[in-house]
Amino acid sequence: MRPRMWLLLSAQLAALHGNSVLQQTPAYIMVQTNQMVMLSCKAISSSTTRIYWLRQLHAPSSNSHHEILAFWDSSKGTIHSEGVEQKKITVFRDGSLFFLNLTRVKLEDSGTYFCMVIGSPTLIFGTGTQLSVVDILPTTAQTTKKSTPKKTVCRLPRPETRKGPLCSPITLSLLVAGILVLLVSLGVAIHLYCRQRRARLRFMKQFYK
């Protein structure tokens, strides 16, 4: 790559970021050291013939430094920047998708990666992918189930059960009816007894006259 081209790209890093012409995925990725990472950049315009991949080591600011890693050319294929380990970085294209493949990543590979095309008159950047390389991936803490307090049920004391037979309304009515029958029978018996006695007394009076 010509030195003038690197100077031109470095001088225009304040250009438009996150343009809809270039869409990057994923937005954030965390991987373990010595693993492989693949970043993608989709070019909306079919006329895109050259795309650059850059890395920003620190958070975006006015003093941020961008490092150009490589670019893909429709006629030459992958072109690496000076000082870049070629076996580690591969750039290729599949239709409207441009890929950056990183192998055996290290902690110093962490940063924000941008795809970029040279527009007229500005540079057009992708939305960016933040790469975080760690020695040990964090484990997701298992969510502990909240124990719901048991509701205390206030139990009312049981009513004391009465001993003996239950007096239902039917039983009471039958009992009253039986008593009435007995009273009527007793009244009839007394009445008959009285009539018989009076008849006997009359007979005796007539006999002794």
Side-chain angles (χ1 to χ4, degrees):
M1 188 70 178
R2 296 179 181 179
R4 287 186 299 176
M5 180 60 69
W6 299 124
L7 293 176
L8 175 62
L9 296 177
S10 301
Q12 296 183 354
L13 286 177
L16 180 63
H17 283 259
N19 195 286
S20 59
V21 176
L22 299 176
Q23 299 177 356
Q24 286 185 240
T25 55
Y28 175 80
I29 185 172
M30 177 182 290
V31 295
Q32 200 170 2
T33 51
N34 297 322
Q35 298 297 318
M36 184 188 71
V37 179
M38 182 177 293
L39 311 179
S40 67
C41 177
K42 183 177 182 180
I44 304 301
S45 176
S46 59
S47 60
T48 303
T49 58
R50 178 177 292 187
I51 191 165
Y52 297 83
W53 283 96
L54 300 86
R55 178 173 60 191
Q56 189 177 33
L57 299 179
H58 304 288
S61 65
S62 58
N63 298 325
S64 297
H65 173 67
H66 291 72
E67 177 186 6
I68 300 177
L69 302 175
F71 69 92
W72 186 91
D73 187 84
S74 58
S75 59
K76 299 179 181 179
T78 302
I79 306 297
H80 293 86
S81 177
E82 295 180 2
V84 174
E85 188 177 352
Q86 298 185 9
K87 294 182 180 180
K88 183 176 182 178
I89 297 177
T90 306
V91 179
F92 60 96
R93 178 180 183 177
D94 183 9
S96 61
L97 290 175
F98 295 84
F99 296 93
L100 173 65
N101 190 50
L102 304 175
T103 59
R104 300 185 63 83
V105 293
K106 300 178 182 179
L107 297 176
E108 53 267 25
D109 292 325
S110 298
T112 305
Y113 290 75
F114 294 95
C115 59
M116 183 196 71
V117 294
I118 301 177
S120 178
T122 60
L123 304 179
I124 301 175
F125 287 81
T127 51
T129 297
Q130 184 179 354
L131 172 64
S132 179
V133 183
V134 294
D135 289 325
I136 300 176
L137 292 175
T139 56
T140 56
Q142 296 181 353
T143 56
T144 56
K145 295 182 179 179
K146 295 183 179 179
S147 58
T148 55
K150 295 182 179 180
K151 296 182 179 180
T152 56
V153 180
C154 298
R155 295 182 179 179
L156 297 175
R158 294 181 179 179
E160 296 181 358
T161 56
R162 295 181 180 179
K163 296 181 180 180
L166 297 176
C167 295
S168 62
I170 298 177
T171 305
L172 290 176
S173 60
L174 292 176
L175 182 60
V176 172
I179 294 173
L180 291 176
V181 171
L182 290 176
L183 291 175
V184 171
S185 300
L186 182 61
V188 172
I190 293 173
H191 178 69
L192 293 175
Y193 174 76
C194 292
R195 289 183 63 182
Q196 289 178 0
R197 186 176 180 182
R198 283 196 297 268
R200 186 181 300 175
L201 289 174
R202 288 195 207 101
F203 176 76
M204 291 179 67
K205 286 179 180 181
Q206 291 177 1
F207 181 77
Y208 288 107
K209 283 183 179 181

